[in-house]
């Protein structure tokens, strides 16, 4: 199913927001991004991964850390913001295959990756269920999904989310940990597990994992 005009409006708003933010993103969000990316990597098993995709990779912070820690893993990333990808390309010259694209229409072939990861972006996706199906489509059988985002189980996040829902046209919604795990199961993933944690007094996060055990 193609995007509705409402979804296109959300994506335009995301593209506008990140066009303006791209050059300042790393400096402005350094602590938050570094903490969440590190917590995500701690929860990944990359020993057996040969090809990883980062969905909504932004400026490529996670990809660049993985390239330093696991130089043998082949890296790909996608994001709908050309400007965020531009920063990622300057950081990851020759190291990663970076493509412009939407989470619910990933610009990659079926069964291409051992690991699909997404950090700090799930709350923007206008069609989160479609995005999870796409992540499953591009994963090989036996591959792993890891999604980290802020979590509705925490009061401070809930308040931020409700304010952003009425003030920011780019913002979609955050999910509770059970709800997000349910969406991941519904998309066909198995061995679904969710971990909740705080990175500081404000941000309560969750990392949801799932395995693709069937062949698309
Ligand atoms: C908060 S940034 C996170 C970037 C990076 N993953 C990180 O952890 O630093 C959110 C990113 O999601 C991207 N994004 C939002 N909605 C998207 C969608 N539907 N498809 C692809 N990328 C999207 C934005 O362009 C932006 O780069």
């Amino acid at each position: 199913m193609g995007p509705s005009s409402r979804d296109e409006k959300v994506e335009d708003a995301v593209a506008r927001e990140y066009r303006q933010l791209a050059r300042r993103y790393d400096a402005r969000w350094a602590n938050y991004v570094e903490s969440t990316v590190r917590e995500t990597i701690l929860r990944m098993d990359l020993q057996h991964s040969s090809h990883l995709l980062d969905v909504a990779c932004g400026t490529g912070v996670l990809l660049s850390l993985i390239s330093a820690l696991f130089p043998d893993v082949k890296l790909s990333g996608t994001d709908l913001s050309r400007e965020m990808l531009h920063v990622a390309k300057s950081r990851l010259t020759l190291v990663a295959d970076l493509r412009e694209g939407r989470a619910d229409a990933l610009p990659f072939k079926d069964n291409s990756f051992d690991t699909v990861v997404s950090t700090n972006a799930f709350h923007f996706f206008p069609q989160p269920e479609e995005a999870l199906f796409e992540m499953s489509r591009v994963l090989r059988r036996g591959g792993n999904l890891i999604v980290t985002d802020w979590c509705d189980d925490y009061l401070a996040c809930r308040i931020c989310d409700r304010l952003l829902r009425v003030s920011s046209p780019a913002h979609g919604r955050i999910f509770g940990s059970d709800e997000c795990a349910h969406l991941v199961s519904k998309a066909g993933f198995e061995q679904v597990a969710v971990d909740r944690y705080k990175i500081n007094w404000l941000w309560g996060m969750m990392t949801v994992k799932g395995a693709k055990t069937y062949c698309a």
Side-chain angles (χ1 to χ4, degrees):
M1 206 170 51
S4 67
S5 64
R6 187 195 149 273
D7 294 348
E8 279 170 352
K9 273 194 196 141
V10 172
E11 284 161 5
D12 287 349
V14 169
R16 258 197 317 279
E17 180 166 325
Y18 282 95
R19 186 177 310 132
Q20 286 162 9
L21 189 56
R23 278 197 292 160
R24 288 174 289 129
Y25 179 83
D26 285 347
R28 178 159 171 195
W29 289 101
N31 291 341
Y32 169 85
V33 173
E34 199 181 313
S35 302
T36 53
V37 158
R38 281 192 186 280
E39 293 288 348
T40 304
I41 292 175
L42 278 177
R43 289 166 173 79
M44 292 166 97
D45 174 14
L46 286 174
Q47 306 299 339
H48 306 292
S49 185
S50 59
H51 198 174
L52 172 143
L53 171 66
D54 184 358
V55 175
C57 63
T59 58
V61 175
L62 178 132
L63 289 172
S64 106
L65 251 177
I66 290 184
S67 110
L69 293 170
F70 300 92
D72 294 338
V73 178
K74 203 169 144 199
L75 301 173
S76 297
T78 183
D79 198 287
L80 67 69
S81 163
R82 195 169 300 160
E83 292 77 10
M84 292 290 272
L85 274 181
H86 184 74
V87 179
K89 280 179 184 158
S90 62
R91 166 180 267 140
L92 290 153
T93 336
L94 301 179
V95 178
D97 170 17
L98 298 171
R99 302 184 191 179
E100 203 176 313
R102 301 194 331 255
D104 53 23
L106 293 172
F108 297 95
K109 290 190 184 143
D110 297 0
N111 308 312
S112 301
F113 301 97
D114 311 292
T115 304
V116 171
V117 60
S118 183
T119 57
N120 305 314
F122 199 68
H123 61 278
F124 286 110
F125 300 162
Q127 299 203 48
E129 295 182 344
E130 207 52 48
L132 290 169
F133 279 118
E134 275 294 274
M135 295 181 198
S136 168
R137 178 184 66 75
V138 301
L139 267 175
R140 295 190 186 118
R141 185 178 183 191
N144 292 307
L145 171 77
I146 298 103
V147 176
T148 293
D149 203 6
W150 34 306
C151 178
D152 198 60
D153 300 0
Y154 296 96
L155 178 64
C157 292
R158 217 175 300 146
I159 293 170
C160 288
D161 173 68
R162 302 312 184 267
L163 291 174
L164 285 168
R165 284 192 203 185
V166 290
S167 63
S168 167
H171 183 81
R173 54 159 298 197
I174 62 169
F175 292 87
S177 54
D178 287 346
E179 199 182 6
C180 195
H182 177 67
L183 285 181
V184 170
S185 298
K186 234 173 90 182
F189 289 95
E190 293 190 6
Q191 299 155 33
V192 176
V194 55
D195 212 3
R196 290 183 312 181
Y197 49 93
K198 292 199 81 170
I199 55 163
N200 57 29
W201 65 271
L202 174 62
W203 296 108
M205 308 300 299
M206 62 185 166
T207 296
V208 184
K209 301 204 284 185
K212 176 174 171 179
T213 55
Y214 62 91
C215 210

